[in-house]
Amino acid sequence: MIRDTKLFFLEEDCVIQFGKDEGRRIYAQTSARYENLCNSADYKNNDEIRYHLMMNLFPAMAYYQALLEHGFSKKEALSYVRKETVRAAEIKKAEQAKTAKMPCAYLMYRLLVKSVMKKKFPSEGWAIQWVQCDGKEIHFDMTRCIYKDICDEMDCPELCAVFCENDDIAFSGLMPKIRFERQGTLGKGADLCDFHFLKNK
């Protein structure tokens, strides 16, 4: 159920955004779309991929599909989806801020980042190349992403950019100790996503 995902607040927001009757219709369409996506997905026998798709990608994709089905333009639908995913990203930002408050936050981040990335972003869904991981900067490039792959497969490549944008929001919570920078993303047409986490002076 969408209530168990990162967009747990979507039903309430639909009612606020579109009115009680229309909002509930759109949410019901979204729920049906979500169930269909979950039931037909290839999780590649990987629990982490299942988590990413069911918790993050499919709720937003289902909402986008429901809005398009309801007659909204792609631009309008993306705007509504972006509003919801930004709210989820702000929650993640608050979680990141807790890390930034810890003593030696950058050192802790650096020591854990490779093992966390290996576990949370398995090779079945992502291709990651490590460039730098030292006392000044953590830098890796992502050359394949399951979010991009599935958005392309589902004929909504424009949706992937929404998730890319939310990284900027979420990782801004690491300031002032860790500064996140990126030049481009797969979802916005670049050849790769470059992730830079710099020790802030």
Side-chain angles (χ1 to χ4, degrees), residues 62-178:
Y63 186 39
Y64 186 55
Q65 291 176 339
L67 290 168
L68 293 176
E69 182 182 346
H70 213 72
F72 291 93
S73 68
K74 286 186 177 182
K75 183 177 180 181
E76 291 170 328
L78 275 176
S79 177
Y80 287 124
V81 172
R82 183 175 284 110
K83 181 177 180 180
E84 300 304 319
T85 58
V86 163
R87 183 173 174 184
E90 290 287 351
I91 295 172
K92 183 66 176 178
K93 176 182 176 179
E95 294 173 0
Q96 297 282 359
K98 295 177 183 178
T99 298
K101 290 179 180 178
M102 295 180 180
C104 304
Y106 179 84
L107 175 61
M108 182 182 67
Y109 213 80
R110 177 170 66 87
L111 293 175
L112 294 175
V113 66
K114 285 191 176 183
S115 60
V116 170
M117 290 298 297
K118 184 177 181 179
K119 182 179 187 300
K120 298 295 185 180
F121 296 84
S123 59
E124 291 89 346
W126 292 267
I128 296 171
Q129 298 174 351
W130 288 93
V131 180
Q132 183 175 347
C133 190
D134 56 26
K136 294 182 178 180
E137 180 180 352
I138 299 162
H139 171 197
F140 59 88
D141 293 335
M142 190 175 286
T143 57
R144 182 172 63 85
C145 172
I146 198 167
Y147 285 73
K148 176 70 164 60
D149 293 343
I150 293 180
C151 285
D152 286 349
E153 290 171 11
M154 299 300 293
D155 197 30
C156 55
E158 66 278 2
L159 182 63
C160 189
V162 171
F163 296 99
C164 302
E165 293 163 7
N166 289 332
D167 282 347
D168 296 331
I169 297 170
F171 290 129
S172 70
L174 294 170
M175 287 289 285
K177 294 182 179 178
I178 304 172

